[in-house]
Amino acid sequence: MLSSKALAALLASATTLLAVHVQEDMLGYQDTPLLPGTQWHVHDGLRPQPRVVTPGPAGVTATPPSDAIVLFDGTSTDRWTGGPWKLEDGAMVVNGKGAIKTKQEFGDCQLHLEWKAPTYGDAKGPGGQGRGNSGVFFFGRYEIQVLDCFENQTYPDGMTGALYGQEPPMVNACRPAGEWQSYDICFKAPRFSDSGDLQSPAMATVFLNGICVHHGRLMDGATGHRALAKYGVHGAAGPIQLQDHGNPIAFRNIWARPLQLAK
Ligand code: MG
């Protein structure tokens, strides 16, 4: 028979083991702030996983329309600063040299880009946020997540197509790694008053592989990690930035159209 002290010690170690186990099983975090108006924490691993939708076949690319500003046509990285990333087979590939951003600045705009996550052959490869992580940052600060979430789960507000740390995509429309995938994004910039107050938040409509994953979703602020998004005043235009998260993601066929919105 165990003494009460030994029993208490046993229970304590079992609780610790359980806590460690639960922590390891978690896809995300529970110790982060609550997202306003929701029951979910930032990067909450218990948030429901969006259902999987299989997009149509890969391979059809969107030819830039006549008024598009072509940011990358497969031949040159001249329109970008930072990195530089590797030019390979008509794509720009993340190579550990840091983020890149457009030299030109954009406000309200439509953006098309295509990306491809790396494959790992028979190797298991990294999981969660380590698998094909990059991101598209409007104004260098509002991120639409790029990640390989084909049969790879992570916290829903950090998966492919998420407004990172804010809103999961409505569905998981990922293709397998190694296939080209597309984003078509309409981004409305936030408006600030002359005194720096937020007049209207940023808004994003996002198609992943032709499937709508956000429709007019208002953004809570600049993207953060394990923290609530918040706004900091900035000008009417800013660069489009692509993230170097250490994974060799390839990008191609990138073009943008500035939008003339009514207000
Ligand atoms: Mg990212």
Side-chain angles (χ1 to χ4, degrees):
M1 176 111 177
L2 287 171
S3 71
S4 59
K5 198 173 168 187
L7 189 62
L10 194 65
L11 273 174
S13 68
T15 307
T16 305
L17 274 174
L18 191 66
V20 167
H21 186 67
V22 166
Q23 198 62 40
E24 282 176 350
D25 279 350
M26 288 279 293
L27 292 172
Y29 302 93
Q30 294 284 298
D31 59 350
T32 44
L34 277 174
L35 288 162
T38 79
Q39 65 193 96
W40 309 113
H41 294 264
V42 173
H43 314 319
D44 200 324
L46 300 179
R47 201 168 180 166
Q49 293 285 327
R51 69 189 165 88
V52 172
V53 173
T54 305
V60 179
T61 64
T63 304
S66 61
D67 67 345
I69 296 164
V70 176
L71 296 170
F72 179 66
D73 67 359
T75 62
S76 160
T77 58
D78 283 355
R79 285 182 172 267
W80 299 80
T81 173
W85 289 1
K86 195 169 43 172
L87 202 53
E88 192 176 86
D89 298 330
M92 278 194 297
V93 184
V94 178
N95 59 359
K97 291 189 175 173
I100 59 170
K101 60 184 180 182
T102 55
K103 292 176 181 170
Q104 184 166 346
E105 296 194 333
F106 296 88
D108 303 331
C109 65
Q110 172 185 351
L111 176 71
H112 173 90
L113 61 79
E114 295 166 25
W115 56 274
K116 185 169 71 171
T119 54
Y120 296 93
D122 292 334
K124 186 165 178 279
Q129 290 287 306
R131 193 173 186 91
N133 195 333
S134 182
V136 182
F137 288 73
F138 293 90
F139 284 75
R141 63 181 85 196
Y142 305 106
E143 183 184 16
I144 311 296
Q145 172 73 312
V146 170
L147 194 71
D148 172 13
C149 282
F150 186 84
E151 298 175 353
N152 173 45
Q153 287 194 342
T154 184
Y155 43 86
D157 72 22
M159 63 186 288
T160 323
L163 309 183
Y164 186 81
Q166 300 175 40
E167 183 75 7
M170 288 189 277
V171 295
N172 178 349
C174 284
R175 293 190 175 116
E179 293 189 15
W180 285 101
Q181 320 210 36
S182 65
Y183 270 144
D184 289 280
I185 302 167
C186 284
F187 180 81
K188 183 184 178 189
R191 302 326 194 224
F192 298 95
S193 70
D194 291 342
S195 56
D197 295 325
L198 180 70
Q199 289 181 315
S200 62
M203 185 169 75
T205 294
V206 181
F207 289 79
L208 168 60
N209 296 326
I211 293 169
C212 186
V213 294
H214 296 287
H215 186 197
R217 202 326 181 148
L218 301 178
M219 299 185 83
D220 301 335
T223 299
H225 179 58
R226 301 192 63 176
L228 291 175
K230 60 174 191 270
Y231 282 101
V233 65
H234 57 68
I240 295 168
Q241 181 176 307
L242 301 178
Q243 185 183 36
D244 180 342
H245 202 278
N247 304 141
I249 303 281
F251 287 87
R252 74 176 185 188
N253 192 19
I254 308 175
W255 49 264
R257 298 179 59 251
L259 298 175
Q260 304 295 321
L261 300 179
K263 63 176 182 176

